[in-house]
Amino acid sequence: MNKAFTLVEMMIAVTVMAVIVMGGTMVFFRTLSSSGVNQSVLNVSASSAQTLLAIENNIRYKKVLSLNASDRAACVVAGASGNSVQGDTLKVYDDYGTTTYSLSANNIASDSGSGVITINSPNLNVNSLLFEWMCTPGTYDKIRVTINTNDVNLPGSQGRVFSREINMYNSN
């Protein structure tokens, strides 16, 4: 007597194997695509932190000239009542001149009169920029910089919000 598989048994075995291979392939490609998304999130986080650090290093020892149309007197009045001044265009100065920071075409621009420089990395899309100037008598002024960013390579991806508070050491 020959012991062999019947045609029906072979078809069932091939079908089961096909389902297992297809399931494994789907898991592999989902893992691969989520890895790309995770890498994008890491790139946005690192680039955003680097951008905020660059702004901090550039303005920490300067004096704030204005935030939008508000000057230091307006900030002190707001600070006396526990408020702050907010805006999207910050103008600072030091012995070397005046520099303006603003949002331009989804990039943070630094204009010091000798040309406009982009602060953020090219792979970072800056959707919004907000400066908050806090003036409290007897202490250093503070600037909180908040940006909403996403990856240029993933259009339509959800923006992430990053913020940094900076002590302005030449404010008193």
Side-chain angles (χ1 to χ4, degrees):
M1 194 177 224
N2 269 345
K3 295 249 180 183
F5 294 108
T6 65
L7 181 59
V8 172
E9 290 173 330
M10 287 299 290
M11 288 177 66
I12 290 172
V14 167
T15 303
V16 168
M17 277 303 276
V19 168
I20 291 171
V21 168
M22 285 173 49
T25 303
M26 285 176 37
V27 167
F28 174 74
F29 281 112
R30 278 198 181 143
T31 302
L32 194 60
S33 70
S34 75
S35 170
V37 170
N38 289 340
Q39 185 62 44
S40 172
V41 168
L42 287 173
N43 287 343
V44 166
S45 295
S47 295
S48 296
Q50 183 179 21
T51 299
L52 290 172
L53 183 61
I55 292 172
E56 178 177 0
N57 288 337
N58 287 331
I59 72 172
R60 179 184 327 172
Y61 294 103
K62 296 184 178 183
K63 290 189 178 191
V64 177
L65 187 60
S66 66
L67 180 55
N68 285 6
S70 299
D71 61 4
R72 178 143 174 45
C75 183
V76 170
V77 168
S81 59
N83 295 316
S84 61
V85 175
Q86 296 183 354
D88 59 2
T89 303
L90 177 68
K91 195 176 281 191
V92 295
Y93 71 97
D94 62 8
D95 293 340
Y96 301 105
T98 302
T99 305
T100 303
Y101 296 90
S102 61
L103 188 62
S104 174
N106 291 90
N107 289 303
I108 298 174
S110 168
D111 184 358
S112 60
S114 60
V116 177
I117 298 171
T118 300
I119 300 290
N120 55 287
S121 69
N123 69 331
L124 193 64
N125 196 18
V126 182
N127 303 312
S128 67
L129 169 66
L130 178 69
F131 295 103
E132 183 178 2
W133 188 10
M134 297 161 277
C135 302
T136 306
T139 65
Y140 292 121
D141 290 358
K142 294 181 184 193
I143 297 282
R144 180 179 295 125
V145 184
T146 304
I147 56 176
N148 181 313
T149 61
N150 66 334
D151 193 331
V152 169
N153 300 317
L154 288 176
S157 63
Q158 182 178 358
R160 299 193 43 160
V161 176
F162 299 90
S163 184
R164 188 174 200 108
E165 195 169 287
I166 304 164
N167 284 322
M168 302 299 292
Y169 293 123
N170 284 330
S171 60
N172 283 356

